[in-house]
Amino acid sequence: MASLLAFTIVGLALLALVLKLTRSLPPVPRGPELVMPEGPSELAEQIGVLTQQHVDLSGLHLLPVAVDAFAMRVALARSAQRTIDAQYYIWDGDLSGRMLLSEIVAAADRGVRVRLLIDDNPTAGLDEMWAAVNTHSNIAVRLFNPLSIRSPRALNYLFDFPRLNRRMHNKSMTVDKVATIVGGRNIGDHYFGAESHGLFIDLDALAIGKVVPDVAEEFDEYWTSESAYPAEALLKSSTRDGLDAVRSPKFENQELADAYREATEEAIAKLEPAYLEGRLLTWAPVRLVSDNPIKALNKAKRSDLLASQIAPPILKASGRFDLISAYFVPSGPGSKMLEDLAQRGVKVRVVTNSVQVSDVPLVHSGYAPYRKRLLRAGIRLFEARPLSEKDGRSRRHGSTRFSGGGESVHAKTFTIDDRTLFVGSFNFDPRSALLNCEMGFLIDAPTLTEAFDRSLDEELTETAYAVSLDARGRLQWDSRRGEGVKIFNVEPGTTVLKRALLWFLSKLPIEWAL
């Protein structure tokens, strides 16, 4: 048995060496760039009227409702006359993913220059879709930090794990360089409420004004980086039929697709005129914070990372710090930062997922060991819990069928002193801090932040467990529904076996990768 194991290890090592020598990525091939069309942009002119009175500010509208977040992306794609630049970690080939892609291809058909930068880690099964889109004369697709072996994809990690473990987690869509959407949502049904289960609670921000050129510049840095490969250098060529299939997608559940399209049109009719007239916008100073794409090559200085950019304003908190992080692994340094805030009298509250609703239980095993330490420091912990149909999944964001009133938190946001609001892709964990590339907005808007905090105050007791320590220092979870309170003395929704597995995972030396 020992000899067989040794033989297997040697064999895998030799295979990894051969693959490293023969299948590593070559230098980035660069062809001619797509030409940006000339001429006026009606969208730019409309937005210019709004921004001329707020030259040093940005106009913002938060998008907590899933179908609204999708509708605004569709509205922007339809209004584009010059450019669409989008970068995403995930772009699924599902209902909403293909529906939005068809709108973007329609924009390209009108002559709009489209650049799509997609992280290659989650693209399994989508090579044909991206190859087809890339055949359009006005569209260029690039894959970030790509896998050189398209199938079987797992082989890439055998010989190139250190590089492939670093991903582009950024999420933005910018149109005509005058309007952008930045936030926590990828492109897919989980994020846009187009499913009956597995939905995420998330947050994006629509922005116009001063911050938009910064987002456009950030996109250009990633687009021209060493990690961005033209799709044609990696994917098999596609036929014209493939592009036609993207233009006119067919869906397995056409009834659902029709209903979702109808809900999207209703949301556009409600939102687009209101934001173009300025009625939805809050004007405020906004700062874009982002990682340099060289972080994907492990060449960035720690002092330049996004984590280092957001730390100073957090440390200056004097009264209140509320953190919502889908994946929360505070680690030693993060725990100390939160403890120091609490010690200075800052009211610190953290909202993350319970193991019941987490889509990555492994991450939960990295968070769980820190609960007692944080609670002893006076930090309040809340864990999103399952909602029954009686409670109403859509209660969180109204009664719209596709509101995205799900159970699992995917948002990455925090507020400081009822004044500063962060909206972006950054989770409070080692992966976002040290491995993945991230981006987000720091918004100095008291009215917006206070409204967000009030909403959080109102919803938490009905949608999350309040985690605390009992008189004997043991963890307990309080669940409130209406006037009733139920207290759990063991982690809700878990078995002895599952708790044992989580404990075992928490002992593995993998926190750095979570």
Side-chain angles (χ1 to χ4, degrees), residues 162-463:
R163 176 180 69 86
L164 296 176
N165 191 39
R166 295 174 173 272
R167 308 312 317 174
M168 182 193 73
H169 199 233
N170 311 40
K171 310 160 202 314
S172 73
M173 177 176 168
T174 305
V175 169
D176 287 359
K177 297 187 183 296
V178 295
T180 190
I181 296 176
V182 169
R185 288 186 179 92
N186 293 296
I187 306 299
D189 293 350
H190 294 304
Y191 310 94
F192 293 130
E195 289 186 334
S196 60
H197 64 280
L199 301 179
F200 287 131
I201 301 161
D202 221 323
L203 183 66
D204 295 321
L206 167 70
I208 66 173
K210 189 174 182 180
V211 76
V212 179
D214 295 335
V215 178
E217 182 180 349
E218 184 266 1
F219 179 90
D220 285 339
E221 288 179 352
Y222 276 80
W223 183 255
T224 58
S225 70
E226 292 182 47
S227 299
Y229 276 68
E232 63 269 20
L234 297 154
L235 308 183
K236 294 180 180 179
S237 59
S238 180
T239 64
R240 183 173 182 82
D241 290 343
L243 184 57
D244 288 340
V246 176
R247 281 194 179 96
S248 304
K250 291 181 171 57
F251 305 105
E252 291 183 11
N253 188 337
Q254 190 59 47
E255 182 181 355
L256 175 64
D258 291 342
Y260 192 72
R261 192 181 298 278
E262 181 179 353
T264 299
E265 298 299 338
E266 290 176 357
I268 291 174
K270 174 187 68 175
L271 293 170
E272 188 175 35
Y275 107 82
L276 287 176
E277 293 167 11
R279 289 184 281 117
L280 286 180
L281 300 175
T282 298
W283 294 92
V286 179
R287 175 187 167 200
L288 173 68
V289 288
S290 65
D291 285 310
N292 189 298
I294 63 174
K295 184 180 180 183
L297 302 172
N298 196 22
K299 295 181 179 179
K301 298 177 181 178
R302 286 210 177 191
S303 58
D304 295 332
L305 299 180
L306 183 149
S308 298
Q309 298 171 48
I310 63 175
I314 293 174
L315 291 172
K316 290 179 182 177
S318 59
R320 176 172 178 172
F321 177 66
D322 287 334
L323 170 67
I324 301 175
S325 184
Y327 310 114
F328 176 61
V329 183
S331 70
S335 296
K336 186 177 186 309
M337 182 174 75
L338 296 177
E339 290 166 346
D340 288 347
L341 288 176
Q343 192 173 31
R344 289 198 287 107
V346 177
K347 296 178 180 178
V348 179
R349 177 169 57 179
V350 176
V351 182
T352 189
N353 286 310
S354 67
V355 69
Q356 288 172 287
V357 300
S358 175
D359 64 319
V360 188
L362 182 62
V363 172
H364 187 83
S365 72
Y367 147 67
Y370 290 95
R371 284 186 291 210
K372 288 186 177 181
R373 172 178 172 178
L374 296 174
L375 289 168
R376 291 187 186 113
I379 294 162
R380 300 172 66 198
L381 292 182
F382 292 85
E383 297 178 1
R385 61 169 171 79
L387 302 176
S388 69
E389 292 299 336
K390 183 178 179 181
D391 291 324
R393 292 177 182 273
S394 61
R395 179 187 68 240
R396 187 181 301 270
H397 296 310
S399 58
T400 306
R401 177 182 176 185
F402 302 109
S403 62
E407 298 177 329
S408 182
V409 172
H410 191 262
K412 310 97 170 44
T413 185
F414 59 77
T415 65
I416 305 170
D417 292 341
D418 283 333
R419 182 178 185 90
T420 302
L421 171 68
F422 173 84
V423 178
S425 67
F426 182 88
N427 287 298
F428 205 88
D429 61 17
R431 173 160 291 278
S432 281
L434 301 174
L435 295 174
N436 289 348
C437 297
E438 309 284 358
M439 68 183 299
F441 287 153
L442 277 173
I443 305 164
D444 184 13
T447 55
L448 208 60
T449 304
E450 288 172 6
F452 182 87
D453 285 338
R454 280 197 304 271
S455 177
L456 188 63
D457 293 341
E458 294 167 0
E459 293 183 357
L460 268 183
T461 55
E462 290 290 325
T463 60

Side-chain angles (χ1 to χ4, degrees), residues 92-142:
D92 284 332
D94 53 12
L95 189 158
S96 59
R98 289 186 180 270
M99 199 174 283
L100 181 58
L101 203 53
S102 70
E103 296 284 352
I104 286 177
V105 171
D109 289 341
R110 300 194 304 269
V112 175
R113 185 196 72 179
V114 176
R115 298 185 296 177
L116 302 174
L117 180 59
I118 310 298
D119 188 273
D120 198 31
N121 186 54
T123 60
L126 299 177
D127 281 9
E128 170 57 30
M129 182 180 82
W130 291 120
V133 171
N134 196 53
T135 63
H136 198 293
S137 59
N138 290 326
I139 301 178
V141 178
R142 290 185 180 175

Side-chain angles (χ1 to χ4, degrees), residues 14 36 53 57 71 94 134 138 205 444 492 501 511:
L14 289 174
M36 186 168 64
Q53 295 180 351
L57 303 175
D94 53 12
N134 196 53
N138 290 326
D444 184 13
L501 177 60
E511 182 181 274

